[in-house]
Amino acid sequence: MVQITIRNVPQEVRDRLALRAARNRQSMQEYLRAELEELATQPSNEELMERIRQRVEASGTRISAADILAARDADRK
């Protein structure tokens, strides 16, 4: 395991995180480690967009913006 230090965290942010940790009956360290582990499993926006592009290319499906808006508007009537 490695250690990470985060400096210059506003007191208000620290207090909110401490409250969340306490509500989960965890130390601040346990809470933040779990949050970081969860964050690390989520794809970045760039990775997500690339996955979407790959799926669209693989399926060969293209829907125009006009068709999407028309379908959206049809449901609103």
Side-chain angles (χ1 to χ4, degrees), residues 6-70:
I6 302 173
R7 291 181 169 72
N8 302 317
V9 176
Q11 184 68 39
E12 179 182 302
V13 171
R14 184 255 173 235
D15 292 347
R16 278 186 271 148
L17 292 170
L19 181 60
R20 290 179 187 177
R23 286 182 178 159
N24 286 322
R25 296 184 176 161
Q26 295 175 305
S27 68
M28 177 82 87
Q29 180 176 329
E30 290 170 323
Y31 177 77
L32 291 175
R33 182 176 43 244
E35 290 295 308
L36 287 172
E37 288 173 356
E38 176 64 24
L39 179 63
T41 66
Q42 303 301 315
S44 68
N45 288 340
E46 294 81 16
E47 292 168 331
L48 188 57
M49 291 305 295
E50 182 57 29
R51 288 182 194 178
I52 292 169
R53 281 188 205 95
Q54 289 175 355
R55 288 182 185 173
V56 168
E57 289 175 12
S59 70
T61 303
R62 296 280 182 193
I63 301 173
S64 70
D67 289 341
I68 292 170
L69 293 174

